Amino acid sequence: MSDNATATETTPSFIDEFTELIRRTAATICAEQPDVPAPEELRDLDSFSMVQVLLDLENELDMKVLEELEGFEGRTFREIAEHIADVARRGGTYAEFEATVRRIVDDGTD
């Protein structure tokens, strides 16, 4: 498979949208907790908030996320977005994953 075929699977704009979805999810979860500021990046989340974000994403995306983080060392929302997209690609569910993310993003716009 050529590099061009791989590049079309995950476009930068899609990863940008997914990154923003994760950021908004994290901000919402943190806002529900007393004295927890909105995170600027993934590294700003405490372990409880991180697990809550991942469980929320699992529910929204209908895919296992938490179990797929072994060895993940990213510190930004973009890195986790890229990692989750790669998990979907490796699992052969990328098309469904992208469609679900786009539906969530579209439903969230006013």
Side-chain angles (χ1 to χ4, degrees):
M1 183 127 324
S2 73
D3 287 348
N4 288 343
T6 302
T8 59
E9 284 184 14
T10 304
T11 63
S13 63
F14 172 73
I15 290 297
D16 290 344
E17 290 176 43
F18 186 39
T19 299
E20 187 56 30
L21 173 64
I22 296 170
R23 182 184 321 278
R24 284 194 326 255
T25 301
T28 299
I29 287 170
C30 289
E32 295 170 352
Q33 301 172 49
D35 301 322
V36 176
E40 299 214 10
E41 280 298 346
L42 190 65
R43 65 181 165 262
D44 298 330
L45 295 172
D46 61 20
S47 58
F48 176 78
S49 298
M50 179 67 171
V51 169
Q52 291 300 108
V53 168
L54 295 173
L55 291 175
D56 192 78
L57 289 171
E58 283 188 356
N59 287 335
E60 290 287 335
L61 300 173
D62 194 27
M63 69 182 279
K64 298 294 181 194
V65 175
L66 194 57
E67 291 86 354
E68 298 293 336
L69 289 182
E70 185 175 337
F72 175 75
E73 296 181 8
R75 298 174 49 93
T76 68
F77 289 121
R78 184 173 191 85
E79 289 170 325
I80 192 87
E82 290 169 342
H83 181 78
I84 294 169
D86 190 51
V87 167
R89 187 178 303 104
R90 289 189 318 251
T93 60
Y94 186 82
E96 296 89 350
F97 160 75
E98 184 174 354
T100 300
V101 169
R102 291 198 185 277
R103 178 188 52 77
I104 294 166
V105 168
D106 290 345
D107 287 351
T109 56
D110 295 329

